[in-house]
Every structure is written in C-alpha cells, then in structure tokens.
C-alpha cells in the first residue's frame, strides 16, 4: 500500500486583519470617526501596509454594525443613512478579524461594554480590558481607586441623582465640604458634556439637575485655578509615560464648545513646566493607570497649580482622542514614537495580553 502524500502545510497568513470599530452611540460619535481615520491611515502606511489589512466596522448612531461598503464610506467621508432594516446590533464578522481595534469614546466604548463583548468572543482587542475601562470611565469609581492608591486629587463629593429629592440637604453638604466655586459633573460622560461650574447655591442645584438628567451618578468638586497638563501612557505590564503636554484655551474652563471649536484651544508639547513637575506627572500618570487596572493606552489629565507647585490627578481616559490633532498621538510623536509605530505597538500589546490570558485560563 502506498503512503498517502502528506498534506502541504497551510500557508500561515502573515497579514493581521484588524477590525477597526468606530462611530458608536455616544455623544462622541464624530470624534470617533476622526480618530478612526487617523488609525486607518497609520495602519495603511509604510511597513504597516504589509502587516495589516483593515476590516472597518462602523457603528451607526442607532447602534447598528455596518461592515463592507457602508463602513468604508463612513471612514472616507460619507456617512451612510441610518438603515431601517434589521442589521445586527452585534458583529457577525468575528471570523474575518484577528484583532479588534475599538476606537469608541464615552459610554458603550470606553466603559467596559465593548471590551466585555470582545472578551466573550475570546479575541484580542486594543486598549484596556473590562475593569480598567469601567473604573476609568466612572468618575466616582475612578476617584475611589485613585484615593486608594494615594494619588493627589481635588476635594470632592459623590452623590446620586436621587439625593436631589432633598436638595437643601445635598447643597448644605456640598457647601460645607467644598464651598464655591465648584464643578458639577455626571460621572459617566466625557468631552465636558453635562459639566457646569457653580458660583452659588442656585447654580449648584441647576447644575446638579442638568447632570442628573444625563446620569444617576454625580460628582461635585472644588474648583481649582490651575493649568491643565496631560500625559500619555502606553504599554502592558510596565507601561511607559510620554513627554507632558499642556492644553491652553480661551475660555474660563475647558468646556465642550471650547474643546471642539477650531482655534479656541491649542496644545503645547512639551509643556513648559519645571523638570521636577514633568517627572512627577509621568510617574503619577503610570500610577493612575495602574490604580484603575488599565493597560494598553490611556491619557492621564492633571491640574497644576503653579503657586506652591501642586499637582492633582484630574482623570484618566482609557480611549483618548486619536485624531491627527489629538494630544495622545502627538505626545507619542514628540516622545519618538510616530503614529504608525504607535498603532503597531498597540496591536502587539493586544495580542500579548490575549496570549497571556489564554495561558492563564489553561491552568
Ligand atoms: N475641579 C476643577 N477645577 C477646575 N477646573 C475643572 C475642575 N473640574 C473640571 N474642570 C474643567 O472642566 C473640564 C472638564 O472636566 P473633566 O473632569 O476633565 O471632564 P471630562 O471627562 O468631560 O473631560 C476640565 O478640563 C477643566 O477645564
Ligand atoms: Mg477631561
């Protein structure tokens, strides 16, 4: 009997198929599209062109997943109409993707939701896992994690929307602990949405009511007159911190209109601060990332009071803006990591983390 010929080895694909997920149901839909364009360009440039094949997934404002032509059009410049047929609300394309790159900001994208989906699919994905995303997103949980890690923060009060049933009690508490001016924030938004600055009780209660229409969890903070510094963190296990940048803007505080109106804010990279402050920001940025259990990428934002050289950690963003004008990629560029290399490293971290998880769960 003659031996059957051995099957020839299946050629292993050296091209990694990247499921770039963008758009989404949050108020930051448009920023997400712009971030996705930067990432798509970076994945199709230089050596990355041989390494990666893009599989765009566009999530409409209504929450439908579009792949193929609709997604490609959204990535170039034409947003497709909201489909009225029964398109899936979840991806059916997992077999076409080797690694996911969700670039969704705010609720459903940066809060552990989509990270949970990819975890259930058992596929690698860029950015932090469920825990880091969820803790980093909720300002109450984030502040609790920072406090446990001993990180410096502004004085704050946490409240629930239901506390507004007894408004005077809530206002008394805020006045006793913080005084005015103070900032009122919904715990789970972003882009300054729903945030207001209050100078008296009337403005405080109006701000709380407005924030309570957007979220059940609220945070009130003492306002600090301070410069705003930002630091980018990258890595898995022992992350690195970038050079430090500063945001300058022409309004009283960095509100939504200022953030998204061209010409009203600018970035200074590196920030002009004493070396010791620069180093301290880098160190605190890594600690803040570890405090919430985040990995992959994050941007940590600070308040810096020049008088007395005091630093406070303001917040962590585990899927920071990634447009060509955004602080996150620009900080890395200034630190010697161009955007093509940045996305390549992020995908590498995603794959390394997935391998490690697979190894751990095998034991
Ligand atoms: N305690 C504070 N003191 C001074 N300014 C603040 C304070 N909290 C928020 N701000 C201003 O509001 C902006 C948005 O607040 P932030 O907590 O960063 O919300 P978001 O997550 O929406 O970016 C900050 O960049 C800053 O300009
Ligand atoms: Mg912010």
């Amino acid at each position: 009997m003659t031996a059957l010929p051995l099957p020839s080895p299946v050629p292993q694909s050296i091209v990694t198929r990247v499921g770039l997920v963008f758009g989404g149901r949050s108020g930051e839909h448009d920023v997400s599209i712009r971030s996705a364009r930067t990432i798509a360009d970076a994945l199709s440039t230089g050596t990355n062109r041989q390494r990666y094949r893009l599989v765009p997934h566009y999530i409409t404002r209504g929450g439908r997943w579009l792949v193929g032509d609709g997604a490609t059009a959204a990535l170039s410049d034409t947003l497709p109409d909201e489909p009225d047929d029964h398109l899936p609300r979840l991806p059916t394309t997992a077999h076409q993707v080797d690694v996911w790159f969700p670039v969704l900001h705010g609720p459903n994208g940066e809060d552990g939701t989509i990270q949970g989906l990819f975890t259930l699919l058992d596929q690698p994905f860029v950015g932090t896992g469920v825990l880091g995303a969820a803790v980093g997103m909720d300002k109450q949980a984030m502040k609790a994690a920072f406090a446990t890690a001993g990180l410096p923060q502004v004085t704050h009060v946490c409240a629930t929307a239901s506390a507004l049933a007894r408004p005077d009690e809530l206002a008394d508490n805020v006045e006793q602990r913080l005084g005015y001016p103070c900032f009122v924030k919904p715990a789970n938004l972003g882009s300054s949405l729903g945030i207001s600055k209050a100078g008296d009780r009337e403005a405080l209660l109006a701000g709380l009511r407005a924030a309570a229409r957007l979220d059940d969890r609220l945070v009130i903070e003492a306002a600090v007159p301070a410069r705003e510094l930002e630091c980018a963190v990258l890595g898995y296990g022992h992350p690195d911190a970038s050079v430090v940048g500063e945001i300058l803007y022409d309004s009283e505080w960095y509100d939504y209109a200022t953030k998204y109106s061209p010409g009203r804010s600018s970035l200074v990279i590196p920030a002009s601060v004493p070396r010791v402050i620069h180093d301290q920001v880098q160190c605190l940025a890594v600690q803040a990332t570890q405090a919430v259990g985040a990995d992959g990428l994050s941007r940590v934002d600070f308040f810096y009071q020049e008088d007395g050289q005091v630093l406070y950690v303001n917040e962590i963003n585990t899927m920071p803006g990634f447009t060509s004008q955004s602080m996150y990629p620009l900080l890395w560029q200034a630190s010697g990591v161009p955007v093509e290399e940045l996305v390549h490293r992020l995908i590498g971290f995603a794959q390394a983390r997935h391998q490690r998880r697979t190894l751990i769960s095998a034991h």
Side-chain angles (χ1 to χ4, degrees):
M1 206 173 119
T2 50
L4 287 170
L6 287 172
S8 50
V10 179
Q12 250 213 328
S13 167
I14 47 158
V15 175
T16 302
R17 299 164 303 171
V18 181
L20 182 65
V21 186
F22 61 99
R25 305 180 72 183
S26 88
E28 292 164 283
H29 184 97
D30 295 335
V31 186
S32 165
I33 295 174
R34 289 174 46 216
S35 292
R37 286 180 186 147
T38 306
I39 292 164
D41 285 349
L43 288 171
S44 332
T45 306
T47 323
N48 283 349
R49 214 194 325 235
Q50 281 88 53
R51 290 176 175 144
Y52 299 114
R53 186 157 65 74
L54 208 59
V55 190
H57 288 65
Y58 169 58
I59 304 179
T60 66
R61 287 182 197 278
R64 301 296 207 284
W65 289 63
L66 299 189
V67 285
D69 291 347
T72 307
L75 202 52
S76 38
D77 59 358
T78 344
L79 286 194
D81 293 335
E82 186 71 39
D84 52 11
D85 51 3
H86 295 284
L87 283 165
R89 283 184 176 270
L90 292 174
T92 52
T93 44
H95 60 288
Q96 297 169 22
V97 169
D98 299 311
V99 57
W100 294 96
F101 201 138
V103 54
L104 300 164
H105 311 298
N108 289 324
E110 203 172 343
D111 60 358
T113 314
I114 200 153
Q115 290 77 10
L117 173 63
F118 297 138
T119 305
L120 287 174
L121 286 174
D122 194 19
Q123 286 187 296
F125 59 95
V126 168
T128 193
V130 172
L131 178 74
V135 177
M137 180 75 200
D138 181 279
K139 291 186 193 296
Q140 289 193 7
M142 174 192 77
K143 283 175 183 292
F146 286 171
T148 304
L151 301 177
Q153 303 184 78
V154 295
T155 320
H156 63 275
V157 170
C158 294
T160 54
S162 60
L164 273 165
R166 290 185 300 280
D168 288 330
E169 209 175 291
L170 178 56
D172 285 346
N173 184 24
V174 170
E175 286 171 4
Q176 251 168 39
R177 290 176 56 192
L178 312 178
Y180 297 108
C182 60
F183 275 86
V184 180
K185 308 179 180 184
N188 285 282
L189 285 178
S191 288
S192 300
L193 290 164
I195 296 183
S196 60
K197 185 176 181 180
D200 55 30
R201 182 174 280 227
E202 197 189 337
L204 170 67
L205 289 173
L208 284 166
R209 288 194 186 99
R213 281 196 284 276
L214 302 169
D215 199 347
D216 285 340
R217 289 157 70 79
L218 312 171
V219 170
I220 310 104
E221 291 177 22
V224 287
R227 291 167 63 184
E228 298 195 37
L229 306 180
E230 302 191 348
C231 184
V233 178
L234 170 69
Y236 170 60
H238 301 284
D240 295 318
S242 71
V243 298
V244 175
E246 178 169 13
I247 304 268
L248 300 178
Y249 46 85
D250 69 2
S251 47
E252 193 190 340
W253 57 281
Y254 199 30
D255 58 9
Y256 184 89
T258 314
K259 274 183 186 173
Y260 295 111
S261 309
R264 294 199 53 195
S265 62
S266 57
L267 313 184
V268 182
I269 301 174
S272 171
V273 292
R275 185 79 235 171
V276 59
I277 294 297
H278 190 276
D279 293 352
Q280 209 180 328
V281 166
Q282 287 186 317
C283 184
L284 288 169
V286 171
Q287 286 176 23
T289 303
Q290 290 169 333
V292 301
D295 55 40
L297 76 164
S298 59
R299 197 194 72 224
V300 183
D301 299 349
F302 294 83
F303 296 129
Y304 170 49
Q305 282 185 308
E306 269 184 297
D307 273 4
Q309 301 208 333
V310 184
L311 276 173
Y312 299 102
V313 182
N314 171 29
E315 63 162 337
I316 184 167
N317 295 279
T318 57
M319 186 46 77
F322 218 115
T323 76
S324 56
Q325 316 293 314
S326 294
M327 189 65 115
Y328 189 84
L330 292 175
L331 284 175
W332 279 116
Q333 193 181 323
S335 308
V337 185
V339 68
E340 296 81 21
E341 172 64 18
L342 181 59
V343 294
H344 176 56
R345 285 198 201 174
L346 285 168
I347 290 172
F349 295 136
Q351 290 168 322
R353 182 181 59 196
H354 187 253
Q355 274 165 15
R356 169 133 180 86
R357 293 257 162 87
T358 310
L359 214 66
I360 289 173
S361 58
H363 284 95

